[in-house]
Amino acid sequence: MKRHLVVALAYDQLCTFEFGCVVEVFGLPRPELEVNWYQFDVCATSRRSLRSSGGLTFRAPNSLALLDSADTIIIPGWSNLAAPPPTNLLKALRNAHSRGARICSICSGVFLLAATGLLDGRSATTHWKFAEELARRYPSITVLPDALYVDEGHLLTSAGSAAGLDMMLHIVRSDHGTKVANTVARRLVIPPHRDGGQAQFISRPVQRPEERQLSKLMERVRRKPTEEYSLEKMAALSSLTVRTLQRQFRSKTGMTPIEWVVQERISLAKELLETSQVSMSSIVEATGFGSEESLRRHFRHVVGIPPVAYRKRFSKELAL
């Protein structure tokens, strides 16, 4: 069976950390996952010796012709934001998008993707320190400066370097399901999904007491998702007022406390559905939705399809 080809784009003054993150997620063999894992390769605009940050020199094994067969293309940063990107590279990316390839950028890599015109009329993100410059240069793009990553279908952008890991785990989750993505995250020793946006990581090195209380509450909900969680109960568990609880949840996750609980229950339901062995009533019992009707309604609202359709998708993948 054909494996999904992920191609990382290399360039002179390559951002080493971003490139390394791509290799860690897509470039390592993972036979223990028992799925049709990705094929990984690298291409560059030039076959000559290139430099990377940190003083390394290297040669990419492939030319841009490899982009013609790539299923997913990752742009791990971009070094020279002042110079116009090579026209042959822009053309190759446009051609790849037109035939249905998925193109993703990490951090400053969004400037290369924006130069193709593919992001016009769409939303995107980048590192917070580049957000204003991106909006100034490309006013037709809706820049979301607080987002860790933005998924616009076959075009994905991520914020600062580490946010690329969030985006790539999202890709793995979309392709292979929650259980596989969680396993990869554990191997990387990172959370499978970070709540909130990059604004929470700017100039806030020390958690305030109410933030620590909120973290403990969130850990409890994840451990005991079947309990009933009203606003009043969550406020009492975290020793916060209802008003402070709501403000802290909105700041940290972008959601209300109740919305966040639903999201956590949906994540658990998705993982159980992917096994194709657990009954729907057992999923209702394990997730705390109370009834199958409630599960279906919330699942369709969050995921976009009913639980049965979601299960069928992964049942087919498991059978391959």
Side-chain angles (χ1 to χ4, degrees):
M1 184 179 175
K2 181 183 180 298
R3 294 162 65 194
H4 185 108
L5 176 58
V6 176
V7 175
L9 177 68
Y11 49 87
D12 198 38
Q13 294 298 333
L14 176 69
C15 297
T16 313
F17 179 74
E18 288 85 342
F19 180 79
C21 290
V22 180
V23 174
E24 281 293 319
V25 175
F26 296 112
L28 303 182
R30 300 186 185 276
E32 73 280 3
L33 295 179
E34 299 181 346
V35 296
N36 192 33
W37 195 243
Y38 305 95
Q39 178 183 350
F40 177 76
D41 217 328
V42 182
C43 74
T45 55
S46 173
R47 301 299 298 277
R48 64 179 175 81
S49 181
L50 300 172
R51 296 161 297 171
S52 72
S53 59
L56 300 175
T57 59
F58 67 96
R59 289 182 185 272
N62 301 285
S63 69
L64 292 181
L66 185 62
L67 298 182
D68 294 338
S69 54
D71 299 296
T72 293
I73 299 166
I74 311 285
I75 306 169
W78 190 243
S79 59
N80 193 342
L81 303 188
T87 55
N88 63 331
L89 174 55
L90 296 177
K91 181 179 179 181
L93 292 173
R94 293 188 193 105
N95 290 342
H97 178 263
S98 66
R99 63 173 177 78
R102 180 168 54 196
I103 307 178
C104 318
S105 67
I106 300 175
C107 196
S108 56
V110 70
F111 284 87
L112 173 59
L113 190 50
T116 66
L118 297 174
L119 289 174
D120 290 354
R122 301 175 185 268
S123 297
T125 193
T126 186
H127 191 287
W128 56 267
K129 72 177 182 179
F130 298 133
E132 288 187 8
E133 177 67 10
L134 180 66
R136 185 188 65 79
R137 286 200 205 180
Y138 301 98
S140 59
I141 299 174
T142 300
V143 179
L144 304 178
D146 289 343
L148 288 175
Y149 62 86
V150 175
D151 184 346
E152 282 277 8
H154 279 193
L155 297 168
L156 293 89
T157 55
S158 67
S161 305
L165 289 168
D166 296 279
M167 177 188 70
M168 290 184 284
L169 283 175
H170 168 70
I171 291 170
V172 172
R173 191 179 303 112
S174 299
D175 292 346
H176 295 291
T178 304
K179 186 176 182 180
V180 170
N182 289 351
T183 300
V184 174
R186 283 196 296 272
R187 300 293 163 83
L188 294 169
V189 199
I190 59 175
H193 182 268
R194 286 194 289 173
D195 298 301
Q198 59 177 313
Q200 67 182 302
F201 304 109
I202 303 170
S203 302
R204 292 175 63 184
V206 180
Q207 275 194 323
R208 292 176 292 188
E210 61 266 29
E211 291 174 324
R212 289 194 292 270
Q213 292 164 320
L214 191 65
S215 295
K216 291 179 180 178
L217 170 64
M218 296 168 86
E219 290 171 6
R220 179 195 170 106
V221 173
R222 288 172 174 140
R223 289 196 314 269
K224 301 179 179 182
T226 59
E227 291 187 8
E228 182 67 31
Y229 291 104
S230 65
L231 277 175
E232 290 73 17
K233 179 176 179 177
M234 285 191 282
L237 288 171
S238 56
S239 301
L240 300 173
T241 66
V242 169
R243 186 173 181 178
T244 300
L245 176 76
Q246 291 176 309
R247 185 180 69 251
Q248 287 296 323
F249 253 98
R250 179 66 68 180
S251 172
K252 186 174 178 62
T253 72
M255 293 179 277
T256 67
I258 300 301
E259 288 171 340
W260 181 84
V261 170
V262 170
Q263 288 279 358
E264 288 299 307
R265 288 172 170 167
I266 290 296
S267 295
L268 176 57
K270 287 167 69 175
E271 184 168 347
L272 293 172
L273 286 164
E274 288 162 18
T275 67
S276 296
Q277 297 172 354
V278 184
S279 69
M280 204 64 69
S281 60
S282 296
I283 293 175
V284 170
E285 184 178 350
T287 56
F289 274 111
S291 69
E292 291 188 26
E293 191 280 329
S294 178
L295 169 63
R296 284 193 296 269
R297 176 165 51 84
H298 287 294
F299 198 93
R300 182 187 285 274
H301 176 73
V302 173
V303 183
I305 58 175
V308 172
Y310 188 86
R311 164 170 277 168
K312 285 181 179 178
R313 170 189 169 190
F314 285 98
S315 295
K316 291 177 181 177
E317 291 187 0
L318 288 170
L320 293 175

